[in-house]
């Protein structure tokens, strides 16, 4: 075989020649060299041939440049432009030197044989994007002329409309993607199909799934027939689904393929024998081990021989939590920490490792990372009959779909028996017992001064930490983090009795008022305008800022297009700008450490980019009258007092009414004294993160000057330990930053599951939708009331251009979204429960709210009119 780089034999290529033969070619070359795996013989026309013919053709390159200027959504232009490029490529006359090489290869493999001519792009079969089916494949091609013609068609298929759009969606440059073409001896199979080494439905890595049909695999890929489905685990067939197969695609002697009817007697027969199923499983596991990750494998059976014709990574799987040295082969169940925190976006490596360190010091428990998210091992809690009841019960206030998924887990008795036996609980019994005692004491004492003293103590502690952090540098920063976390833990945990007493009062009131009076969610109105709620105060105080801004037309004009880098300098030049600056700076002094997804230390804080607040300030000006802050607070307080009077008067009229009213009055008093404080713990945690971030960023700026890192924000892609090491050694392997940036970009596209096992199985919870109006979207009622309005589907807080009467629909809200709440009249989120931040603040403001509405941002259109029922928990699309 010639060493000409235009053509390479399949057996002589592998992963190292990815740039020459593309993803499919590289993988097939690896497979062809594996012992016990059969791959049909063939060769690759390399990307050098493509580059010579297409990549250096001036007219085609000009057209590709024109195509690169287009954006997603310009469908007509994309269709027209890609069509022109395809036609130009198909008209090319392939260079004689390349043709001679192809001719030589065909002579070696047999020029009378039929071949499959298949595309293999350099952006294909990647771990992060499969590009499956984006370029063309041609089967049963016979003769040199036909093969050469189909090579040109494969090159042209790189610019099919679907391939162009897919590259745009995944951020690939059209100029940088090249195409190799694989020419392989044709196999004429009795059966063929696809094998996934991880179950494509549940994502379980231990379950292998085989789709099988008669004839060529094109019948399955094109959706012409339903496949037989076989599931195998550890050499045992655990499930078979035999489908009715009316048609199959077969090769014609003269070339091409034909769709044939399958004779009646075979239509409902199994495609594979048990022996063949297990043969496939063994091959699949061998291939998976070779590539080091779950694979999507195309196979065919010809005369009892198994041939593999493609293998690529399965790109849709959510990663499994990394157990490090702890893995013992036992199954574990993980629950999403992000869903508990109303933060389901991917976190940066620094954000993850800092929060893991913080959480470990605060609770002595481990948070595991998967797909850029944090997970908690709940195996111990679910395994024990004693703890599982209370654990699952407690999830009701966090996320009902997570609760339902955990119920599903404990219903699988055999699965539960084989769960990992952890020695440690999420929270130690000793700690819980201590909190229990503090809760009883706080409830009995019912003293608002308790809250005031805790808040003052934490504020003093934070101010002290700010002074300490300003004096540390280098390695001292990391010692400061350890020291300060310990002191923060003592103060914060000491106040948990107050938090739990308020939660108990909420539960008690909702349960007993419903039992005695039939009213649902009584606590929702009773908690409105409760004192000391730092999060709801944050929203109301931005109304005061809006009152300053609304006085100055020049500032209002400037706010339409504010300068991010020059914001305060620009304001100083405008009429009223100094007063507006003063007002915003005062606001930032108190709340500037906040931002969306704030548990990730790397997220941009309002202090770092004050213009994030501008759309909310403008929204407040547009939707609210002057002095709205006090009016809203007073209105909420009035409603809460009226509700309390109404409940107590009605209770007194019942048998035993005096006793019932006395107990309810105490619970209401506890609720109003303590409920606001719950938000202060999160506020102080975010304040602490901001203190640490400033110290780290100061050190990062020094590292940029010293040439250790290129950009100060590059530290976001290192773990805390790696950052410490880089600062101590003044050195860094920069490849790790680039790799982490790519990983982070791919993680951001993933949807994190609420419940996940160590085998990768995603366990989802469902709602009982029988109680709902037809077509309604089910969710969890967290703040009472029914309201209709325009849905505003918003993904980033800075895009929140809301008007009065709008209903906010968003994946999640953390406390930073609160300033938006003063404008809207209802809330819908995809995650959350009764005690998550969005729910707490919605009740405080008297906004009807429904949370945990699966895929709400996909099912509800921006601008659509909707009705939300925050009492019964559903959304109607009007």
């Amino acid at each position: 075989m010639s060493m000409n780089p235009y053509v390479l034999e399949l057996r002589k290529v592998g992963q190292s020649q990815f740039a020459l033969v593309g993803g499919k070619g590289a993988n097939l070359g690896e497979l062809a060299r594996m012992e016990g795996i059969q791959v049909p013989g063939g060769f690759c026309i390399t990307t050098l041939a493509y580059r010579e013919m297409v990549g250096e053709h001036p007219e085609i390159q000009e057209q590709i440049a024109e195509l690169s200027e287009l954006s997603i959504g310009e469908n007509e232009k994309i269709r027209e432009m890609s069509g022109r490029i395809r036609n130009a490529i198909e008209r090319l006359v392939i260079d004689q030197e390349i043709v001679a090489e192809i001719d030589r290869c065909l002579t070696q493999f047999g020029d009378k044989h039929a071949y499959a001519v298949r595309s293999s792009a350099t952006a294909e079969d990647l771990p992060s994007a499969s590009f499956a089916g984006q370029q063309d494949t041609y089967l049963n091609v016979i003769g040199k002329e036909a093969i050469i013609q189909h090579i040109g068609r494969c090159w042209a298929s790189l610019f099919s409309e679907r391939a162009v759009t897919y590259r745009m969606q995944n951020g690939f440059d059209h100029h940088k993607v090249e195409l190799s073409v694989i020419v392989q001896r044709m196999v004429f199979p009795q059966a063929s199909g696809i094998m996934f080494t991880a179950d494509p439905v549940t994502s379980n890595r231990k379950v292998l799934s085989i789709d099988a049909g008669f004839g060529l695999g094109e019948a399955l890929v094109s959706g012409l027939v339903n496949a037989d489905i076989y599931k195998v685990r550890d050499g045992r067939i655990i499930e078979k689904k035999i489908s009715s197969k009316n048609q199959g695609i077969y090769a014609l002697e003269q070339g091409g393929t034909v769709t044939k009817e399958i004779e009646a007697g075979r239509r409902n027969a199994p495609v594979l024998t048990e022996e063949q199923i297990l043969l496939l499983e063994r091959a699949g596991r061998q291939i998976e081990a070779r590539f080091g990750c779950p694979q999507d494998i195309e196979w065919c059976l010809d005369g009892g021989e198994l041939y593999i014709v493609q293998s690529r990574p399965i790109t849709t799987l959510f990663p499994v939590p990394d157990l490090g040295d702890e893995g013992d082969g036992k199954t574990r169940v993980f629950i999403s920490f992000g869903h508990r925190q109303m933060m389901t976006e991917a976190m940066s490596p620094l954000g993850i490792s800092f929060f893991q360190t913080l959480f470990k010091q605060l609770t002595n428990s481990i948070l595991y990372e998967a797909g850029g998210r944090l997970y908690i091992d709940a195996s111990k809690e679910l395994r024990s009959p004693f703890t599982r009841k209370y654990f699952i019960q407690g999830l009701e206030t966090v996320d009902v779909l997570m609760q339902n998924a955990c119920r599903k887990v404990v219903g699988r008795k055999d699965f539960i028996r084989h769960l990992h036996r952890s020695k440690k609980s999420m929270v130690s019994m000793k700690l819980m017992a201590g909190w229990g005692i503090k809760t009883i004491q706080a409830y009995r004492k019912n003293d608002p001064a308790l809250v005031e003293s805790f808040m003052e103590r934490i504020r003093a502690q934070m101010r002290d930490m700010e002074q300490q952090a300003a004096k540390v540098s280098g390695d001292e920063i990391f010692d400061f983090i350890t020291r300060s976390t310990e002191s923060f833990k003592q103060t914060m945990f000491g106040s948990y009795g107050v938090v739990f007493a308020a939660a108990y009062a909420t539960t008690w009131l909702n349960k007993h008022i419903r039992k005695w009076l039939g009213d649902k969610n009584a606590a929702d109105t009773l908690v409105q305008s409760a004192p000391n709620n730092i999060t709801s105060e944050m929203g109301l105080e931005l109304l005061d800022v809006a009152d300053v801004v609304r006085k100055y037309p020049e500032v209002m004009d400037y706010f339409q297009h504010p300068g991010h880098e020059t914001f305060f300098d620009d304001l100083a030049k405008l009429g009223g700008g100094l007063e507006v600056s003063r007002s915003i700076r005062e606001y930032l002094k108190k709340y500037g450490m906040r931002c969306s997804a704030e548990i990730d230390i790397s997220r941009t804080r309002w202090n770092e980019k004050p213009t994030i607040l501008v759309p909310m300030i403008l929204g407040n000006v547009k939707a609210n009258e002057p002095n709205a802050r006090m009016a809203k607070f007073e209105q909420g307080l009035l409603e809460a007092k009226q509700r309390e009077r109404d409940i107590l008067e009605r209770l007194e009229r019942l048998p035993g009414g005096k006793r019932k009213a006395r107990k309810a009055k105490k619970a209401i008093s506890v609720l109003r004294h303590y409920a606001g404080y719950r938000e202060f713990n999160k506020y102080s945690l975010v304040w602490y993160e901001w203190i640490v971030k400033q110290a780290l960023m100061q050190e990062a700026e020094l590292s940029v000057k010293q040439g250790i890192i290129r950009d100060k924000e590059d530290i976001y892609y290192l773990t805390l330990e790696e950052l410490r090491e880089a600062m101590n050694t003044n050195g860094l392997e920069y490849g790790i930053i680039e790799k982490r940036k790519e990983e982070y970009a791919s993680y951001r596209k993933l949807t994190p599951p609420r419940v996940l096992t160590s085998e990768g199985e995603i366990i989802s919870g469902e709602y009982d939708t029988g109680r709902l109006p037809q077509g309604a979207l089910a969710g969890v009622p967290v703040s009472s009331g029914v309201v209709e309005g325009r849905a505003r589907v918003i993904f980033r807080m800075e895009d929140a251009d809301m008007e009065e009467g709008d209903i906010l629909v968003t994946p999640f809200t953390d406390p930073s979204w609160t300033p938006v709440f003063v404008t809207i009249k209802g809330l819908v989120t995809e995650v959350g429960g009764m005690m998550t931040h969005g729910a707490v603040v919605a009740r405080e403001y008297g906004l009807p709210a429904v949370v945990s509405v699966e895929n709400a941002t996909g099912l509800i259109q921006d601008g659509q009119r909707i009705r939300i029922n925050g009492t019964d928990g559903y959304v109607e699309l009007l």
Side-chain angles (χ1 to χ4, degrees), residues 272-323:
L272 300 176
T273 65
E274 294 204 352
E275 190 183 348
Q276 288 168 333
I277 293 167
L278 297 177
L279 170 71
L280 273 164
E281 189 218 14
R282 287 193 294 276
R285 290 297 177 211
Q286 191 184 342
I287 293 165
E288 180 183 61
R290 173 68 190 78
F291 287 109
C293 65
Q295 296 288 299
D296 163 355
I297 300 163
E298 291 180 27
W299 58 270
C300 52
L301 281 167
D302 180 19
E305 294 289 316
L306 171 63
Y307 290 92
I308 302 298
V309 292
Q310 188 163 327
S311 186
R312 57 177 165 244
I314 304 176
T315 58
T316 54
L317 297 173
F318 192 83
V320 174
D322 181 11
L323 294 168

Side-chain angles (χ1 to χ4, degrees), residues 333-399:
V333 177
F334 298 93
I335 60 170
S336 165
F337 183 77
H339 282 82
R340 294 179 72 106
Q341 282 293 317
M342 294 287 275
M343 197 313 234
T344 54
E345 291 178 0
M347 293 172 72
S348 68
L350 182 67
I352 282 171
S353 74
F354 175 74
F355 208 87
Q356 283 174 320
T357 304
L358 190 65
F359 194 78
K360 179 90 166 57
Q361 271 191 261
L362 290 177
T363 66
N364 202 27
S365 295
I366 296 171
L367 286 174
Y368 297 89
E369 186 271 337
R373 275 74 171 189
L374 293 168
Y375 281 84
I376 306 169
D377 184 355
S379 308
K380 182 179 172 71
E381 283 71 18
L382 293 174
R383 186 185 169 100
S384 156
F386 172 70
T387 56
R388 82 170 63 124
K389 179 186 171 187
Y390 298 104
F391 175 72
I392 292 176
Q393 221 171 315
L395 289 176
E396 187 165 9
T397 61
V398 176
D399 189 294

Side-chain angles (χ1 to χ4, degrees), residues 452-470:
E452 300 285 353
S453 68
F454 284 134
M455 287 168 74
E456 194 40 57
R457 198 181 311 164
I458 290 174
R459 282 195 177 102
Q461 186 178 38
M462 289 298 157
R463 286 192 284 268
D464 182 46
M465 280 185 198
E466 281 176 331
Q467 289 172 0
Q468 289 178 48

Side-chain angles (χ1 to χ4, degrees), residues 26-38:
N27 289 354
L28 276 171
E30 294 286 347
L31 290 165
R33 295 204 301 275
M34 283 177 66
E35 205 172 316
I37 300 295
Q38 289 195 86

Side-chain angles (χ1 to χ4, degrees), residues 632-649:
K632 280 184 182 286
F633 185 81
E634 292 296 336
Q635 178 63 28
L637 192 59
L638 183 68
E639 286 174 19
K641 285 181 174 174
Q642 282 175 343
R643 184 80 170 111
E644 180 179 3
R645 273 197 303 274
D646 172 63
I647 284 170
L648 296 179
E649 283 170 10

Side-chain angles (χ1 to χ4, degrees), residues 455 458-459 461-462 465 488 492 495 534 593-594 677-691:
M455 287 168 74
I458 290 174
R459 282 195 177 102
Q461 186 178 38
M462 289 298 157
M465 280 185 198
F488 179 56
M492 192 164 78
S495 69
I534 193 82
M593 75 289 280
R594 309 219 79 149
Y677 179 73
R678 178 192 181 278
E679 292 296 301
F680 198 82
N681 274 339
K682 177 77 184 283
Y683 170 77
S684 53
L685 185 69
V686 175
W687 188 353
Y688 173 64
E689 275 198 349
W690 171 237
I691 292 167

